[in-house]
Amino acid sequence: MTEQQKNTLPVTETRLERKKEPFDPGYFLRKNVVPIFFLVLCIIGGYYSGLSLPFLANEIITRMARNSFLVISLIIPILAGMGLNFGIVLGAMAGQFAYVVTVNWEMAGLSGFLMTCILSVPLAIVFGWLTGRLFNRAKGKEMISGIILGFFANGLYQLVCLFFMGRIIPIRVPSMLLSTGVGLRNTLDIKAMHYALDNIWKVRIKIPGFVFPIMIPMATIAVIVVLCLFIRFIVKTKLGQEFRAVGQDRHIAEVAGIKVDRVRIIAIIFSTVLAGLGQVIFLQNLGNINTYGSHVQVGTFAVAAILIGGASVKKATISQALLGTLLFHTLFIVSPLAGKNLVGDAMIGEYFRVFVTYGVIGIALALHAWQSLQQRKTVTVEAASEPVSGGGK
Amino acid sequence: MVVARLEMRGISKEYFGNKVLKSVNLSVAPGEIHALVGENGAGKSTLMNILFGMPVIRNTGGFEGKVFIDGKAVDITSPEEAMAHGIGMVHQEFMLLPGFTVTENIKLNREITRPNFASRFFGEKLETLDFYRMREDAKKALRRMELDLDEMLPVAGLPVGFMQFVEIARELDKETLNLLILDEPTAVLTESEAETLLQVMKRLSSQGISILFITHRLNEVLQVADNITVLRDGEVVAELESRKATVDQLAELMVGRKIEVTSRSERHSTENVKPVLSIRDLHVDMPGESVHGVSLDVMKGEILGIGGLAGHGKIGIANGIMGLFPSRGSVYMDGKEVRLNSPISALNSGMAFVSEDRRGTGLLLEESIELNIAVQAMQSQDKFLKKIILLRIADMKAIREHAQKMIKELDIRCTGPDQLTRRLSGGNQQKVCIAKALTLEPSILFVSEPTRGIDVGAKKIVLDLLVRLNQELGVTIVMTSSELAELRSICDRIAIIYKGRLEGILPIDASDRDFGLLMAGELSYHRKEAS
Ligand SMILES: Nc1ncnc2c1ncn2[C@@H]1O[C@H](COP(=O)(O)OP(=O)(O)OP(=O)(O)O)[C@@H](O)[C@H]1O
Ligand SMILES: [Mg+2]
């Protein structure tokens, strides 16, 4: 080192700047392989199902309005590095318990619906808090813990609904109970609150040549838009920043003074509360509750949807959630019919449906795995400096 | 007498029955730069972790002893509390979130926010981030170190030297800061970067900030420190004023024996030897260390040094050849072309790499030393595997024997080959990385900054080992280093990289002036002038 250099101290002469990546179609395809694969599947399925476009559109809109909320509820835990929150099943249970109460109070219409929403929140907070505490004891294994927790909670739920309702928990409305007077019936009628939200404002679009108009539940869609804005807002707050920091590296976040365990619990509470509200919205559209079944697959369906949208265990955006809901439910509608038309067997159609729900989770995960492998091979800058917690310099 | 900013009394710490600190005392005055030196594993980081309330200390049973800040006894149980007492720390391992931008990292958990509708009801956690002001602050902190860096760049992909400055910027940005702990901050820096840092430290101390400074570069200690504490095996063996200390004396105190400087007696001549590796027009897209068309021949059996200033691409060459960053051009090994952008084909053609970035080389922190050493050889060369019927399983006995040999040769200080690498001190982790590359028995070994973060004693061991590998096993070595002295001590020739291109190759006995000219690009400047 010469004297002269020591004086000028050039830390570096090349200023590091952000670079604009040129658009590369190959990269775009690889990056979006999951949604593109399912989009192609949807188009093929749609073609062979023989359904008319307006009918299909109607079905899709209904299902989007019904399910988006639940799918979006998965985003925050993913941001916080907790993976896919299968624990939203507990949120769904909270929503259903809230309905049991309002039906028992013989409430109806919009006020009944709003009351159900309000009641579901404290329940969901408690459930979320418990889930969060469990996840904090099983760090890194949140997903499998969530699935097992779902089974376990379902057992408790059945216990409460079958043995406590009508015995320990007084139920006023006899039609809710089984003929023995103890335990809830298989289906809980919530006709009084059917479409309570959807009917506030519906837009009908008449398509010439078709009997049924396309119905758009504007009020429900407005609620979903508000939710999306809410999520975007949260991400831009201090709390959102903590979610993201914890999601990237718990250890570093902790050293920076972030209360990691607390942040994780808050993330799960958010998710559970949103799932609870999502289930309330879902059920008002359906008009009845399958007491022992409605909640069971909420987790699996929502997870399948968000994965199809291109989200991964580590990264999810609102548009991925919405796109995923769209693709998943389109597949859900067209696949049984397409299966039947292609193979000529009604059973095949049902088989297709089962395949769609579980198969897609598998396929989406496999495609994600393939994708990260590709990334590793092309060695992007990202892959080379992949976060490894701890480590030396 | 002034009240000491920090006083630590009788600090003892045990890790799983292993006593790593034995009644250590330490005292730092306001505005003092206090250096803490000692061998790898002497307990320096542990002492600092105690002071900073790191979770690892609490999780392993706490510590004994007392800590006083400005004369008051304090009980620091979390980093947050440490920060509240005005303590800032730059850790030995990186504490940056790779997916966050420089700004977000600098302001991590100290974000500037403004109130909004929701925060009025639900508290300040829901306040919106004020990115504009955060960026301003980040810029200010970076400017204090004369660092010209886009504050909105993501940290992932920054060269290590820059990451280090971002970490220091984060600490500088804390207004209450009055005691700054720097655990080997210069280990990842080049000499000129380190020089900048030392000046920043001096400026800070003149503003009244006390600094606790850990380093293995002893001349830095003499340059900036007021006082020095020497640790050996968890005990304070000396406290001295740096005015009265010398490098040799410190080294001896640290290790407890005398250390000679490595130098090779016989050097190879590179004439009449054919190149084993030919690099032609290599371009590597490594952020901050990009290479723009290097052509270079590596001769069989030589030790080639690659030097140059930070940011000029010397680091990029090995990373590009080994397929860790996107690259183009051609590389021939023994006349056969090696596929670029493919780490596997680089490994298979007999090259191995000890990266300057320990995280990148992927130490499996939750696995044992022995497995870390063996894993790459198992994967790419089917070593350490035995066949049982149809299955091929790991031959644990062979792995253990090999690991024990490596631990002995590299002097890895550990409780045994089954110790988790997470529990090693930083320098010893580095040695595991070297052992891992050696296990591949490469014909060409790339080493980048091999002695970074390694104490003087171990440094000699590593350099000696490289020389021995070269002489006894005939391994061709390409060593990238920012320390010219280190390159000179073992290399046959030294290539200097300037602005991503080869500026020139010098013999080791060329004068300082020549090296300086090449590094500053004076030569190509004159060439341009002339033409
Ligand atoms: N988490 C841990 N669990 C168990 N032992 C540990 C842990 N961290 C460090 N040690 C041990 O404590 C001793 C001191 O380690 P420390 O990291 O303080 O060394 P150091 O002086 O900082 O060395 P270096 O210069 O290599 O960074 C070492 O023997 C190390 O193996
Ligand atoms: Mg250390």
Side-chain angles (χ1 to χ4, degrees), chain A residues 67-138:
Chain A
N67 291 291
S68 299
F69 211 106
L70 281 166
V71 180
I72 292 172
S73 76
L74 289 173
I75 291 178
I76 287 179
I78 295 179
L79 280 186
M82 306 176 77
L84 302 159
N85 179 17
F86 283 92
I88 59 170
V89 174
L90 275 79
M93 289 176 190
Q96 281 163 218
F97 278 134
Y99 267 119
V100 170
V101 176
T102 47
V103 171
N104 189 36
W105 289 347
E106 291 173 276
M107 296 188 74
L110 188 61
S111 58
F113 169 76
L114 288 178
M115 192 60 186
T116 317
C117 287
I118 293 170
L119 287 178
S120 75
V121 171
L123 262 179
I125 290 179
V126 173
F127 290 172
W129 180 71
L130 290 171
T131 313
R133 294 201 32 171
L134 175 81
F135 285 179
N136 276 344
R137 276 157 202 252

Side-chain angles (χ1 to χ4, degrees), chain B residues 15-16 18 20-21 38-47 49 56 60 92 183-184 214 216 231 413-415 419 422-429 453-455:
Chain B
Y15 275 125
F16 312 102
N18 173 16
V20 299
L21 288 175
E39 272 185 296
N40 292 132
K44 305 178 296 294
S45 299
T46 306
L47 188 63
N49 287 342
V56 60
T60 51
Q92 186 168 11
D183 193 348
E184 293 192 37
I214 299 179
H216 289 297
L231 275 183
R413 304 282 168 90
C414 57
T415 53
Q419 192 176 8
R422 175 183 293 289
R423 300 198 171 142
L424 288 177
S425 76
N428 284 308
Q429 285 178 346
I454 287 190
D455 69 58

Side-chain angles (χ1 to χ4, degrees), chain B residues 79-288:
Chain B
E80 217 180 352
E81 282 175 44
M83 284 181 236
H85 286 294
I87 305 176
M89 177 158 177
V90 173
H91 296 266
Q92 186 168 11
E93 63 279 357
F94 278 115
M95 289 286 178
L96 294 174
L97 294 172
F100 273 17
T101 60
V102 170
T103 302
E104 285 172 305
N105 268 295
I106 288 179
K107 293 305 249 179
L108 183 60
N109 203 28
R110 295 178 305 104
E111 291 88 354
I112 303 173
T113 55
R114 49 190 146 75
N116 56 36
F117 178 74
S119 67
R120 243 161 265 156
F121 293 98
F122 299 105
E124 52 189 29
K125 285 269 182 225
L126 287 190
E127 287 185 355
T128 326
L129 299 185
D130 188 343
F131 250 92
Y132 181 76
R133 283 170 56 204
M134 282 164 59
R135 284 180 68 169
E136 288 305 305
D137 274 15
K139 265 193 220 149
K140 216 163 64 195
L142 290 171
R143 229 177 283 134
R144 276 171 83 177
M145 290 180 301
E146 299 164 29
L147 189 66
D148 194 15
L149 174 70
D150 185 336
E151 74 284 355
M152 289 307 278
L153 269 178
V155 159
L158 283 187
V160 272
F162 278 83
M163 291 198 201
Q164 187 67 70
F165 277 109
V166 173
E167 288 217 52
I168 297 166
R170 185 189 59 213
E171 300 309 315
L172 289 185
D173 185 53
K174 296 174 182 166
E175 271 125 47
T176 55
L177 183 79
N178 56 29
L179 172 61
L180 180 59
I181 305 170
L182 299 172
D183 193 348
E184 293 192 37
T186 55
V188 294
L189 303 183
T190 58
E191 278 168 53
S192 56
E193 287 172 321
E195 190 72 31
T196 312
L197 178 66
L198 296 185
Q199 279 180 15
V200 172
M201 284 168 58
K202 275 188 180 152
R203 202 174 323 153
L204 292 176
S205 88
S206 70
Q207 292 163 10
I209 297 177
S210 310
I211 298 178
L212 252 166
F213 175 47
I214 299 179
T215 183
H216 289 297
R217 297 185 179 175
L218 298 176
N219 49 355
E220 287 176 352
V221 171
L222 299 184
Q223 208 178 327
V224 294
D226 300 308
N227 291 304
I228 306 168
T229 297
V230 185
L231 275 183
R232 191 197 310 156
D233 290 334
E235 272 173 296
V236 176
V237 289
E239 289 180 75
L240 49 162
E241 279 178 58
S242 78
R243 281 185 291 130
K244 296 179 188 152
T246 66
V247 169
D248 291 340
Q249 179 196 6
L250 282 180
E252 220 180 304
L253 279 170
M254 278 168 58
V255 191
R257 66 190 140 79
K258 260 196 138 42
I259 299 166
E260 319 98 72
V261 187
T262 308
S263 75
R264 275 167 68 193
S265 42
E266 57 184 275
R267 309 260 175 167
H268 302 271
S269 104
T270 47
E271 271 141 47
N272 307 327
V273 185
K274 63 177 177 29
V276 56
L277 187 74
S278 303
I279 304 163
R280 290 291 171 266
D281 196 28
L282 181 72
H283 292 255
V284 182
D285 187 13
M286 178 173 180

